[in-house]
Amino acid sequence: HSQLVQGQIIVSEPDVYHQRVRDRLHRCIDRWATSHTGRGEVLSPLDVPIDSWNVFAPNVLWFSEARRPARGARRLDSPPDLAVEVRSRSTWRYDLMVKLPRYDGRGTELWLVDTASKTVLVYRRTEPAAAEFDEVLELGEGEALTSPLLPGLAIEIADLFDR
């Protein structure tokens, strides 16, 4: 897929392992979202306009019910409530150096899934009105990935990665 990052078009082709991890996360969030009404919508990579120099395509996007795109929407007008980026060799530096600070001021929770260390870095706000990320977690084997945005969802970190 392609993204606009700091005015440059970045094209990446994820490997099989990347896609397996992405698919596992997508399925877990989708099962949670579709198990009850009002839990929003999970989507696969779509263009997320950030500013005139940046249009990102997170690997997994989740929108709360109140912010989910309208039926028939052709484009997204705002960032998701949750963006998930799975590590790719060619794009990890952008995830950490460019995307992280740009999601910070937009109310999006960000999960950076590091396939090399088999951990997940979570960047969130403890209060919805907080201007920037004020909670950072590094979760590894033996821990579960949860979010106040997704009450009742718990994904075992070890289950994300090939054993």
Side-chain angles (χ1 to χ4, degrees):
H1 64 253
S2 61
Q3 303 178 82
L4 182 65
V5 180
Q6 293 184 308
Q8 295 183 1
I9 296 173
I10 306 299
V11 178
S12 64
E13 187 174 322
D15 62 26
V16 172
Y17 182 52
H18 174 281
Q19 288 302 93
R20 284 181 181 144
V21 172
R22 191 217 72 83
D23 288 350
R24 288 176 188 140
L25 266 167
H26 188 278
R27 281 192 303 269
C28 288
I29 297 170
D30 188 56
R31 272 194 302 270
W32 173 87
T34 58
S35 68
H36 293 85
T37 58
R39 287 189 168 178
E41 182 175 20
V42 63
L43 298 168
S44 293
L46 287 171
D47 289 347
V48 175
I50 301 296
D51 56 39
S52 60
W53 287 90
N54 295 283
V55 178
F56 302 152
N59 298 119
V60 179
L61 304 87
W62 176 80
F63 288 89
S64 64
E65 190 67 26
R67 297 188 61 244
R68 75 189 293 177
R71 288 201 186 280
R74 299 195 43 93
R75 293 192 171 92
L76 298 177
D77 297 325
S78 63
D81 294 278
L82 171 67
V84 180
E85 296 285 357
V86 178
R87 182 179 185 142
S88 289
R89 271 179 279 205
S90 61
T91 62
W92 189 242
R93 68 180 179 270
Y94 300 117
D95 296 341
L96 292 169
M97 304 304 290
V98 179
K99 294 180 183 183
L100 173 60
R102 283 171 180 76
Y103 281 127
D104 192 12
R106 288 178 171 74
T108 298
E109 182 169 316
L110 179 62
W111 297 352
L112 297 177
V113 181
D114 188 344
T115 54
S117 66
K118 297 186 178 182
T119 60
V120 178
L121 302 170
V122 175
Y123 297 86
R124 66 171 58 123
R125 292 156 190 78
T126 53
E127 297 293 326
E132 57 189 29
F133 295 131
D134 60 355
E135 183 175 52
V136 178
L137 306 169
E138 183 174 359
L139 304 172
E141 190 170 339
E143 296 180 285
L145 181 56
T146 63
S147 172
L149 296 175
L150 310 164
L153 175 74
I155 303 168
E156 295 297 321
I157 298 297
D159 291 344
L160 293 177
F161 304 103
D162 288 342
R163 296 177 200 69

